[in-house]
Amino acid sequence: MNEKFEDVRHHVERAVEDAREGLEEEFEDAERRARELVGKEKEPEPSRVEKLQQNLKDLEQKAEGDARDALQKARDRLGKSRSE
């Protein structure tokens, strides 16, 4: 991609990000008041510990899947070598 297009793309992405953050800040109070009136509270952000626990769980599941794949490949190779 042309360097100028890359620069423009970067600036547009930053502008969109800044606009989103600005709108979130502007409407934060209105959102809080509306939630109070409706009786719905905002979902709490996961804590650092909860995020780490989820990351560990995801890694564990990935490792289990990788181990199963490796075992299956080894079994397949072993079966091929025995049949030859």
Side-chain angles (χ1 to χ4, degrees), residues 66-77:
D66 290 348
R68 277 192 215 102
D69 291 343
L71 280 171
Q72 187 60 45
K73 286 180 184 178
R75 286 182 183 133
D76 291 343
R77 278 190 241 138

Side-chain angles (χ1 to χ4, degrees), residues 15-29:
V16 169
E17 184 179 313
D18 289 345
R20 190 193 91 236
E21 289 174 3
L23 287 171
E24 285 177 355
E25 287 177 18
E26 285 294 318
F27 292 111
E28 203 169 77
D29 289 334

Side-chain angles (χ1 to χ4, degrees), residues 25-72:
E25 287 177 18
E26 285 294 318
F27 292 111
E28 203 169 77
D29 289 334
E31 179 188 13
R32 183 183 47 76
R33 286 192 304 258
R35 287 188 183 280
E36 286 174 0
L37 291 172
V38 175
K40 292 186 179 181
E41 293 185 15
K42 197 173 190 177
E43 289 287 328
E45 299 255 342
S47 69
R48 289 177 65 185
V49 172
E50 291 170 334
K51 287 179 186 178
L52 285 172
Q53 287 173 334
Q54 184 61 46
N55 287 344
L56 287 173
K57 188 176 183 181
D58 293 343
L59 286 172
E60 181 181 4
Q61 290 173 347
K62 184 181 181 316
E64 286 175 0
D66 290 348
R68 277 192 215 102
D69 291 343
L71 280 171
Q72 187 60 45

